[in-house]
Amino acid sequence: MKMLINGEFKSKEELFDVKNPYNDEIVDTVPIGDRGDVKLAISAANKAKKELNDFSSRKVSEGLYSAYESLKSEKKSLAKLITKETGKPIKDSRGEMERSVETLKFAAEEAKRIYGETVPLDAGIGGKGLFAFTQKIPLGVVAAITPFNYPVNLAIHKIAPAIAAKNTTILKPSLQAPLAAMRLSEIISQEFPDGVINTVTGFGGEIGDELTVNDDIDKISFTGSVATGLLISNRAGMKKITLELGGNDPLIVLEDANIGKSVKAAVLGSYLYSGQVCMAVKRIIIDEVIADEFIDLFVKETQKLKIGDPMDPKTDIGPLIDEDAAKMVEQSVVRSYKKGARLLTGGNRDGNFFEPTILDNITPDMDIVVNETFGPVSPIIRVNGVEEAISAANNSEFGLQAGVFTESLHNALKCVNEIESGSVFINKQSTFRTDNMPFGGFKMSGMGKEGVKYAVNDMTRSKLIAMNLR
């Protein structure tokens, strides 16, 4: 596939092979762009601003609705492409496409809901006789930098709200899985003037850095690692930034929890896309009183998961994105053994594959719970009561989402009020998101919120207009 810059498809002499993690076959190639390509895209986006701003809100909405219909017609083929380039089980890729289609529809709807407000200046000294209101106006050019794990859905959460708010955009997808995101850009671009959406592929150290430091970019929306997020924050200057970074999400199971429901949530939350999800269950914090009963059922349900070809609809666990990723998970598990963790099931690596793994006797200082483990691993931390559970949950530099299983209203409200994370779900695992909800974490999990309405708001600025009526 080729880059899309100012409505034209552009290739380069140097190409990057996008490989299928399941069988190492080359799915396609993409150009390795450079700073010059980024500057061309930025120039195109800036030139397209006026034409897009001349669109009525209705016209923007209609363009996004047309793109929604086109995306819906291609959702099956794009799901297959996601599976080929990421190794994600096809049933999960289909789920990603269903959500992506809905997200584009949300953006089309939100394009007609961008409101200002009246401001009572007469509440302040000297304000009597003045009538004032605010107007929401676009920021200008939004750079979207996305990772491999949800290549379409995470791209659409940045591109679609940006365009809904009449911003032009530049997408830099992950080189590991750029293809479906590039096709998404092509679909949306057909509904808008050249330059409204551009896609540049290449290495983050060059493409991402130019987007970060270039003064003609007005906002950066980034999803990825903490290290890269911190680098962007330090180098972005006066740009607005939204950072969706790591997660180390806890699933708390209290003494009065429904064991069956909590086990089902633990399996789904821990092993969705082999744990390569920022909001996956990364730590299971369980009351000692019910720990053995929970673990016995959890092990049995985990062992039922089918590992294999991600194109098989019956497959639950596919490969990790590459062998290096699988080796990192393996090394983290091995280090936990050395510190006293007990293996209950799994623990084996075969190339890019890593078995769903449950570890008991986990202590808070172990690397596997201190850092984000991006793989199908369930470390179990035993606690005594709700106070210890909350303390264990908050013992992390991350704070993205959390799930709590309890039948006690008192314990539920206590957890909601005291857990330090962007979302807390009661009787639901952290691996949950609807595309209209505010999504974003606390602490090192990032800053800002996604979710179409909230992203649109963050992609505008408020202008005050005041008239002296005296």
Side-chain angles (χ1 to χ4, degrees), residues 101-349:
V101 167
E102 183 176 70
T103 304
L104 192 48
K105 186 177 182 180
F106 281 141
E109 294 166 346
E110 207 61 42
K112 296 189 286 187
R113 299 174 182 161
I114 302 174
Y115 303 116
E117 61 181 0
T118 56
V119 182
L121 296 187
D122 62 347
I125 296 172
K128 187 176 180 181
L130 275 80
F131 171 70
F133 60 94
T134 60
Q135 181 182 19
K136 294 285 189 178
I137 61 175
L139 293 174
V141 180
V142 174
I145 304 174
T146 57
F148 72 85
N149 57 342
Y150 281 80
V152 174
N153 190 250
L154 293 178
I156 211 164
H157 264 290
K158 302 177 189 304
I159 295 169
I163 295 174
K166 299 186 183 179
N167 296 286
T168 56
T169 62
I170 300 164
L171 171 67
K172 185 222 164 292
S174 167
L175 264 184
Q176 292 175 299
L179 304 175
M182 294 171 79
R183 179 57 191 149
L184 169 69
S185 295
E186 293 173 10
I187 290 170
I188 297 176
S189 72
Q190 294 167 7
E191 309 299 333
F192 294 96
D194 292 346
V196 167
I197 181 168
N198 306 272
T199 307
V200 183
T201 50
F203 295 105
E206 186 164 2
I207 307 301
D209 187 66
E210 183 62 37
L211 291 170
T212 299
V213 301
N214 195 296
D215 290 335
D216 290 325
I217 294 288
D218 299 288
K219 177 181 170 68
I220 300 169
S221 182
F222 169 79
T223 300
S225 71
V226 172
T228 304
L230 288 172
L231 188 63
I232 289 171
S233 180
N234 289 331
R235 290 176 58 79
M238 294 295 289
K239 299 176 183 67
K240 290 186 75 173
I241 57 175
T242 296
L243 301 176
E244 296 290 348
L245 308 179
N248 199 358
D249 295 359
L251 177 69
I252 294 176
V253 185
L254 297 177
E255 179 182 355
D256 60 354
N258 181 304
I259 300 295
K261 290 180 179 178
S262 60
V263 166
K264 183 179 179 180
V267 172
L268 176 61
S270 299
Y271 307 128
L272 177 66
Y273 186 29
S274 297
Q276 296 176 115
V277 184
C278 61
M279 57 188 181
V281 172
K282 306 288 174 60
R283 298 174 292 154
I284 297 177
I285 299 167
I286 186 163
D287 195 296
E288 182 68 53
V289 174
I290 59 166
D292 290 340
E293 181 183 358
F294 173 93
I295 289 168
D296 182 60
L297 184 57
F298 185 33
V299 169
K300 289 177 181 176
E301 292 301 313
T302 296
Q303 290 173 343
K304 293 178 183 178
L305 297 174
K306 180 181 177 181
I307 303 172
D309 183 351
M311 279 295 183
D312 183 346
K314 295 180 181 179
T315 293
D316 301 300
I317 304 292
L320 274 69
I321 189 64
D322 56 34
E323 190 167 11
D324 286 343
K327 286 179 178 177
M328 286 180 66
V329 174
E330 180 181 42
Q331 290 162 7
S332 185
V333 169
V334 169
R335 286 194 295 271
S336 72
Y337 297 159
K338 294 179 179 178
K339 286 197 170 186
R342 185 163 66 95
L343 178 67
L344 302 182
T345 189
N348 297 310
R349 181 181 68 83

Side-chain angles (χ1 to χ4, degrees), residues 444-461:
M444 296 301 287
S445 286
M447 62 176 70
K449 294 288 184 183
E450 290 194 339
V452 177
K453 172 185 174 181
Y454 305 91
V456 164
N457 186 62
D458 206 42
M459 292 178 179
T460 62
R461 47 189 171 166

Side-chain angles (χ1 to χ4, degrees), residues 68 71-72 75 97-105:
Y68 153 77
L71 187 65
K72 185 165 62 172
K75 64 183 181 181
M97 284 310 306
E98 290 289 348
R99 285 183 52 205
S100 298
V101 167
E102 183 176 70
T103 304
L104 192 48
K105 186 177 182 180

